[in-house]
Structures are given as structure tokens and as C-alpha cells.
Amino acid sequence: MTLFGTAGIRGPVTDVTPALALDVGRAAGEPGATFVVGRDGRETGPALAAAMEAGLESAGADVYRLGQVPTPALAYASQGRRGVMITASHNPPTDNGIKLFADGVEYDRDAERAIEDAVAADDDGLATWELWGESGRLEILEEYRDSVADYVRYQFAASSGAEADTGRPLAGLSIAVDCGNGMGSVATPHVLERLGAEVVALNANVDGHFTARESKPTPETLTDFIEFMATDSSGAASRNAEFDLGLAHDGDADRLVVLGPDGEVIHEDTVLAVVAEHYVSESDAGDPVVVTTPNASARIDERVREAGGRVERVRLGALHEGIARERAQGDEDTAVVFAAEPWKHIHAAFGGWIDGVASAAVVAALVADAGSTDALRAPVTERPYRKVSVDCPDDAKPDVMSALETELPEAFPDTAVDTDYGVRLEFDDASWVLVRPSGTEPYVRIYAESETVDDLIADARTVVESAVDDAN
């Protein structure tokens, strides 16, 4: 049985049912364990959370209910214990999901497979009646918001001058935040204001229908926010610098999208690159490491190398596993200072979870330090980037990818080849192409970044389509 994808269990509520939540809770719980359980604003959240709590308690675990919280706040609360978040993140309101944490870190593959095996075995998982767990309420939001703000104050105390000493490193910064009716509404504006920013929050009410826009923040779904950023205070359609930057979240506030003062969406890999460079530059480790994913741009490698660090990659959805691997393989000089895949960041010195709220505050502080978004991104070389999908039946994917491990390097000689997580080819000019199977849809994905990206995509697509045809 396969329940877990790259980001927990997720899907339509016809699949992610209270019965499934009950089964997962009974599989995850055990006598003596303590769990915190949170949920996002979706209409189906209360029923799924209640079923999860029943499963955990009947297996012997004690449960603290957090209510509606951002996923990073749930992860924060799971430190020293375990946690379950009921969320479908950026999926539509018809979906929901389950993410499990242990001591602030998402369950790894082994832990997920143990849950799957227990659910498949149909073992009721019940503890004897006298060992059933207890439940209670835990308020975590205020502590979490304070902790994020304190972390950013500490991070920028040395570089941001006198304002940092007063606890206001964002003083003078004007920020627009599109919370997208999601859980960022209860965290990000509060943190930014505590750090001294002037904040205008849009769609900052929690609404499980996501009536303002789709939950996933993209240039296509953020059109109203982009227009808002690009108009002046009278509503005239002329660009101005009323806001220093814009920030947007998904439904559970683990993702972050950054906009410049003119409403331009700054490429997610550029954001990743500048944050990674900051952490490497500030680290006193002899071997500072940034963990990212195969689809992340070479611009990240360039900025990290310039700052004196190195980049290591891990499969999508497994940043926590990459962090653990590098820590285990490194020596006393090695430190994982940052981990990220596009849109989602782990601030290793703060915690082991993806945290869009902390990212919002860190990016804002970097903009304040640099003086503008343009100055912050200026050192980053931004080449054209594209992603396309090629139809491929799920059962053909293994044969297709096996063939491409040979055929792609033959089609693109004189490239550095990495086949750990798909097939990634890197060129001498820092262009690259990645081909990998989708984990959720009948596609093979092609990612490419190059000054001649259309030609590179076209050439790679020819090789991929030929491999698919041969496999069929």
C-alpha cells in the first residue's frame, strides 16, 4: 500500500477520509507518546482532525489540539514530541491531507512505510483500555510568532545596525502580504510588524474555500495581487514604489512567493540563491552546506560557491533526509546552514521544518539590508528557465528513465551527468537540463535553464519522446 507522496498523504477527501485518518492515527500512536495535532482552514479539517485524535488516543498516545495553525507552527510545536498536521497545503479546497512530524522534522521514508504497512495489515492498533491516551488544548501561535521574530532579530543583529539593536530590523520597510485566505493570515503579518515593518495584509482571513484566489501562489493566481502592487494609492494604474516588496503564501504557509515593488514575481530560484548565499556567508563553519533538489537552478550553486560553501542535492520532498545525510557523512567542520526546494525553505538554525513564515521575515530583512529587491538580486545570474511535461504512462516510467540514463548523455556529450534523482546534465556555461518522472501524474518532466532554453528543451524533448515511444 502506498499512502505517502512527496509531501505526506494528500488527495481528494473522497480518498483522504476520516476512516483513513483514524487508521493512520492508530498506526502512528503508541502508549507513552505525545502528539500535537493541528489543521489548516479547510472545511473538512475538523472531522479529519477529530478522527486522527481518536486514532492516536486509542493507540495509547496523549494528544494536544492546536486548532487552526500554519504547518510550520505545528512543526515548531512538535519539537520534543510528535505532530500531525491536517492540510493539503496548496491543493484546492476539495482536497485534504496528513503530514507527520517527529521532533520538528517530517517523517522519513522508513517511518512512512511503517505507517503504510500497519494500515495495510488492518491491525486495529488499540491499546488496552487503561492505556488509552488523554487530550487537551495547547496554545502555540503566540510562542511561535515570538520565536520567529527573535530568530530574525538574532540573525540580523550584526548586519542591520542600530535598528536591529532595538528589535526592529525591518523599520522603514513597507510590505504587502497576500495571505490567500490561508494560515499565513495568523502569523506572517504579525511577525513582520513585530520586526518593525509597515504591513498591508490582503486576503488575511482564514477561508477554507479560498474564495480570494487559488491556494497555490503563482504568477497566474496572483494577478490581483500583482495589480495591487503595481498601482498607486489612488488606484491609478501606474507603477510606483509604495511597497518595498510583496510576499504571498499558500494555504498552510509553508510556501513563499516574493514580488518586487512593481509587482514582478521574483523567480523562486533567485530567492533561494540569495537566502542560501546569506547563510553561507554568515556561517563560521569550515564546510557550510546548502541542500537543495535536482530541479533547482545552477544560480544557487554559483552564489553558494562564491560565498565559500557547497551545494548537495536530494530528491524532491526529502530535504530532511538530505540534511540528515550530510550531517552523517560530514566531519566536525561540516554544517548544513540552509535547505530548500523552489518555494520552500528550511532554516536549519531555527528548526528542521519548511517554514514560509520564517522565510518571509528573513527575505524582508535581506531586502532591508540590501536597500531594495533589485540590489538584493543583482549578483544573481538569471538565465531563462522552462519546465514542460511529456505524456508517459506510469508503468512505462522505469523503462523510460533507464533508457534516458544512457540516451541523454549521448545526445548531450561533454556534460556533467548526475542520475541520482532523474537525469541531470550540467554544461560548462552553467546551463542545465533535468529529466525526471512525475511522482503523482502520468508525465515525465523536463526542466531546463539556459540562454537558449527553447532549443535545449526542444532537443531534450526529442530524446524523451523517443524513449517513451520505445517503451510503449
Side-chain angles (χ1 to χ4, degrees):
M1 172 182 287
T2 300
L3 294 174
F4 291 86
T6 57
I9 299 169
R10 189 184 301 173
V13 293
T14 51
D15 296 328
V16 184
T17 63
L20 176 62
L22 180 70
D23 288 345
V24 171
R26 291 188 302 196
E30 59 182 293
T34 300
F35 281 78
V36 287
V37 175
R39 57 184 172 87
D40 67 17
R42 294 165 193 271
E43 296 295 325
T44 55
L48 292 172
M52 174 61 67
E53 292 162 16
L56 291 169
E57 290 174 34
S58 65
D62 293 331
V63 175
Y64 289 98
R65 297 184 299 274
L66 304 186
Q68 289 186 346
V69 292
T71 292
L74 178 283
Y76 171 87
S78 75
Q79 294 177 103
R81 48 197 167 200
R82 302 187 212 175
V84 181
M85 183 69 185
I86 305 298
T87 180
S89 190
H90 60 273
N91 281 33
T94 51
D95 289 5
N96 217 321
I98 301 168
K99 296 185 82 168
L100 294 106
F101 295 82
D103 196 18
V105 178
E106 291 181 41
Y107 272 31
D108 61 21
R109 269 181 161 175
D110 289 341
E112 290 175 345
R113 285 170 180 155
I115 298 294
E116 290 173 342
D117 290 346
V119 172
D122 200 24
D123 182 354
D124 64 23
L126 292 176
T128 55
W129 65 268
E130 74 276 11
L131 293 179
W132 281 29
E134 299 179 349
S135 66
R137 173 78 185 183
L138 179 65
E139 300 293 339
I140 199 65
L141 262 179
E142 189 68 12
E143 179 183 337
Y144 168 72
R145 292 186 295 222
D146 283 343
S147 293
V148 175
D150 288 344
Y151 170 72
V152 175
R153 290 188 187 104
Y154 175 79
Q155 276 286 311
F156 291 88
S159 59
S160 297
E163 290 292 357
D165 294 335
T166 67
R168 294 168 54 84
L170 305 187
L173 209 63
S174 179
I175 305 174
V177 183
D178 182 352
C179 301
N181 299 139
M183 298 313 306
S185 305
V186 301
T188 297
H190 308 72
V191 170
L192 298 177
E193 287 179 343
R194 291 178 191 190
L195 294 170
E198 296 179 6
V199 180
V200 174
L202 288 77
N203 307 318
N205 62 310
V206 178
D207 176 355
H209 295 268
F210 303 113
T211 52
R213 62 163 169 83
E214 292 180 29
S215 177
K216 186 175 182 178
T218 67
E220 293 73 29
T221 62
L222 294 174
T223 51
D224 289 345
F225 187 44
I226 291 169
E227 182 179 357
F228 174 80
M229 289 283 295
T231 57
D232 63 24
S233 57
S234 67
S238 60
R239 293 184 174 184
N240 67 90
E242 181 179 354
F243 297 102
D244 295 294
L245 76 157
L247 303 167
H249 285 305
D250 61 345
D252 67 336
D254 64 351
R255 291 184 174 225
L256 177 72
V257 174
V258 181
L259 294 79
D262 60 358
E264 177 196 4
V265 175
I266 299 174
H267 195 282
E268 61 272 21
D269 284 344
T270 294
V271 175
L272 201 165
V274 298
V275 177
E277 181 177 11
H278 160 74
Y279 279 118
V280 172
S281 298
E282 294 297 313
S283 175
D284 57 5
D287 179 28
V289 179
V290 171
V291 174
T292 189
T293 50
N295 60 325
S297 168
R299 68 189 70 171
I300 298 155
D301 303 69
E302 290 175 328
R303 298 318 307 161
V304 168
R305 281 196 300 266
E306 181 72 17
R310 62 182 171 93
V311 172
E312 298 294 338
R313 285 177 164 79
V314 69
R315 66 180 177 88
L316 281 166
L319 292 175
H320 52 296
E321 294 176 9
I323 293 172
R325 180 193 69 198
E326 293 306 313
R327 287 174 173 167
Q329 293 179 355
D331 56 28
E332 60 183 14
D333 291 329
T334 300
V336 176
V337 296
F338 184 55
E341 57 187 74
W343 313 113
K344 301 189 290 188
H345 307 158
I346 294 177
H347 304 268
F350 182 56
W353 57 87
I354 293 166
D355 198 322
V357 179
S359 291
V362 168
V363 169
L366 288 171
V367 172
D369 212 26
S372 69
T373 55
D374 284 345
L376 181 63
R377 64 193 287 193
V380 180
T381 301
E382 298 181 297
R383 301 173 185 85
Y385 175 95
R386 279 192 61 197
K387 178 178 76 172
V388 300
S389 299
V390 176
D391 291 339
C392 180
D394 288 336
D395 58 3
K397 288 175 182 176
D399 289 341
V400 169
M401 294 308 302
S402 178
L404 290 176
E405 288 185 7
T406 300
E407 293 171 8
L408 279 169
E410 289 177 350
F412 299 95
D414 302 321
T415 56
V417 182
D418 187 334
T419 58
D420 285 343
Y421 311 104
V423 182
R424 182 183 170 102
L425 309 176
E426 296 189 7
F427 298 78
D428 289 341
D429 64 356
S431 298
W432 58 275
V433 62
L434 167 71
V435 179
R436 58 175 291 272
S438 170
T440 57
E441 297 177 285
Y443 299 122
V444 170
R445 311 283 195 195
I446 306 174
Y447 308 78
E449 184 178 38
S450 173
E451 295 295 344
T452 56
V453 69
D454 290 338
D455 292 339
L456 182 53
I457 284 282
D459 291 343
R461 184 168 195 150
T462 298
V463 179
V464 172
E465 288 178 341
S466 176
V468 172
D469 289 342
D470 290 345
N472 289 327

